[in-house]
Amino acid sequence: MTSVFSLEVALALRRKAAQMASAAAAAAAGMGCYSQTSWALRRLGAGGGALASAATRRRNCSVAAAVFDNQNREYVIVGGGNAAGYAARTFVEHGMADGRLCIVSKEAVPPYERPALTKGYLFPPEKKPARLPGFHTCVGSGGQRQTAEWYKENGIEVLYEDPVEAFDGKTQTLKTSSGKILKYGSLIISTGCAAARLPEKIGGDLPGVHYIRDVADADSLVSSLGKAKKIVVIGGGYIGMEVAAAACGWNLDTTIIFPEDHIMPRLFTPSLAKKYEELYEQNGVKFVKGALIDKLDAGSDGRVSSAILKDGSVVEADTVVIVGIGAKPSVSPFEAVGVNIEVGGIEVDSMFRTSIPSIFAIGDVAAFPLKMYDRIARVEHVDHARKSAQHCIETLLTSQAKAYDYLPYFYSRVFEYEGSSRKIWWQFYGDNVGETIEVGNFDPKIATFWIDSDSRLKGVFLESGTPEEFSLLPKLARSQPIVDKAKLKSATSVEDALEIARSSL
């Protein structure tokens, strides 16, 4: 059956081809320019009727190209986030971007390092907040700052504020929100995730309620923080902790609400969480644990004024940031490519190829084989966004056939604004499964090791390490050495513990 989108494409192409053929016929009358029927009209076949014959009689050589709205068609990236920026860099490095690559983005600016939005971007004006163009990709990995001018200089076509709304794999075409019809040879889906939102009926869309996924969201939050007195952060994950730490820089009355028993439950042990909770409390942050939101109430001015919990208690707030109710992979309109029902996202192989030839998926939206743990995973983190983009494009442009072998990595940096009594920076590599051994008292550092029943080190966490110590972590997590648990438990310092682990390599 012909899809509705296929019919829309056909009609749009006929209209454009007719317009261009008419203009070309007049222009070519004295030039003798002739070419074969356009790709679009050939696709239409006999149904093109008189339109096709008119175009074949005489037309400008560029009619075939003009029926589509993108000039660069060999490679098209859908999405303008971190992964898209790093993919663009890889195309440039291989000399395959100029006149060939098109990026289609819903944002108004080129790709940027998204982690800044919940860190430095939220600092108050007097504490040197991060601002664009300072953190466009690929500065986060020490690369060049890819501004709009960079894309132009490298011949990359970027369509801003025009997300893709429809897709037809048979005709290899896309339709954007503005009605543009785009053609691709190879398609890279890099659509990321969308923040889950509270329903409107319980106050999820009230003025003063914020979600953070892009720079426009962050701008709106910064504007609210400048006027706020009491802020509630819903969610005790690492993004929620980053937002709360930034709010401390504004000297705001800050409360974090979450349903679990402690912060960062997907990674932190209860003992580790307690150390960080105490630090936040020293900075004036209050915690409401084991709590669920019933609704958000508005004041007389229509703006959010409080969070009502399921137990009936009320937490006053003039600004609410919702970051802990999940994010959903943005698979639309590409569901037909193949969605993994267990982890969400578009399913790909170890080289980011989907089930349809010439279509790839990278970054947060990709459900990929996590080789070292033998499972399908979807990772929402900038490190994977960068690395998956590079691996995918290397595979696409070269003879590389090496499977993607990702080592899970997470980090956070908070309280880094001027005047902070203590800056926090932790890193984690590996898998947090098995018995845990904690070393250190958090003053100034602490480490946690996850060890399985065979005494193999599976994951390692370190707070406030030196560059040399941090560089050891991925080596340990990837090698998974057998460690002497008794020695590790008896270590008198983080430095001693890391040396014991190092000696096991």
Side-chain angles (χ1 to χ4, degrees), residues 352-371:
F352 298 98
R353 299 173 298 196
T354 69
S355 60
I356 300 178
S358 299
I359 299 181
F360 304 77
I362 57 176
D364 294 3
V365 77
F368 66 98
L370 191 56
K371 182 180 177 182

Side-chain angles (χ1 to χ4, degrees), residues 479-490:
S479 299
Q480 300 183 47
I482 294 175
V483 298
D484 188 324
K485 291 193 289 185
K487 282 187 177 180
L488 206 55
K489 289 178 180 178
S490 64

Side-chain angles (χ1 to χ4, degrees), residues 91-138:
F91 273 109
V92 170
E93 289 172 344
H94 285 272
M96 297 293 284
D98 195 350
R100 297 178 173 184
L101 176 61
C102 175
I103 299 175
V104 191
S105 175
K106 68 178 180 180
E107 297 204 47
V109 295
Y112 50 86
E113 304 286 1
R114 209 167 290 272
L117 298 183
T118 53
K119 298 180 179 69
Y121 204 89
L122 299 184
F123 293 174
E126 70 276 9
K127 296 183 178 179
K128 298 181 180 179
R131 289 291 181 269
L132 290 173
F135 58 96
H136 280 299
T137 56
C138 297

Side-chain angles (χ1 to χ4, degrees), residues 18-33:
Q19 293 168 358
M20 294 304 301
S22 176
M31 298 169 57
C33 181

Side-chain angles (χ1 to χ4, degrees), residues 86 89 113 138-145 386:
Y86 281 81
R89 180 177 73 173
E113 304 286 1
C138 297
V139 297
S141 63
Q144 188 175 356
R145 183 179 291 109
R386 295 166 179 166

